[in-house]
Amino acid sequence: MRRGPIVLVGHSYGGEVISQAAAGNANVKALVYINAIMPDTGESFSSLSAKFPAAPLTKALKQVPFRNGDGTTGTDVYVQPDKLRQVFAADLPTSQTNLLGATQRPIALSAFADKLTAAAWRNKPVYVLVGRQDQAINPALELFEAKRAQARKTVEINSSHVSLVSHPQSVKNLIVDAAEDYMWKK
């Protein structure tokens, strides 16, 4: 287990993951959300995002059923490769988005309905990066989340959903700001 201060960073669905994982962990000193979702306790991504117009990504998803080893079934979700650049990574070169489309990993459809049992952003400092051109998560939703969480810092950039790839310096700067804020306030 990691000892000492931790700054957790989550992108996209990873925002939900860090919100839940940091709950009750005193070593987590700040949360950084990069083009991320940030549901509250009892909310899911689906219920939260329903408050805003659907992002274009929703019309570019392909659902693929699967069977688990125990016989139960589920559904994986992929971005249709020919639409990935437009709705996910418009600020990357076509050669890179073609590779992303061919090598993407799915997300289980059920993940969109998972409800948080704790929301660490309620009692930890929050830093948010919003991609104004995000077509995967509505930027208005990301701004709503930042305001609701009383983010210490919200940075808006002209980026698609993959700002960590297309604008790594902006992402790095926000993470460093979160870490430095903690260090100065010790």
Side-chain angles (χ1 to χ4, degrees), residues 162-177:
V162 293
S163 59
L164 61 161
V165 178
S166 61
H167 295 85
Q169 190 65 45
S170 296
V171 173
K172 176 191 158 238
N173 291 346
L174 187 61
I175 295 167
V176 169
D177 287 348

Side-chain angles (χ1 to χ4, degrees), residues 16-38:
E16 189 169 337
V17 173
I18 68 171
S19 293
Q20 183 76 45
N25 187 332
N27 286 346
V28 176
K29 303 303 180 187
L31 301 168
V32 181
Y33 295 87
I34 308 297
N35 299 91
I37 56 174
M38 195 186 325

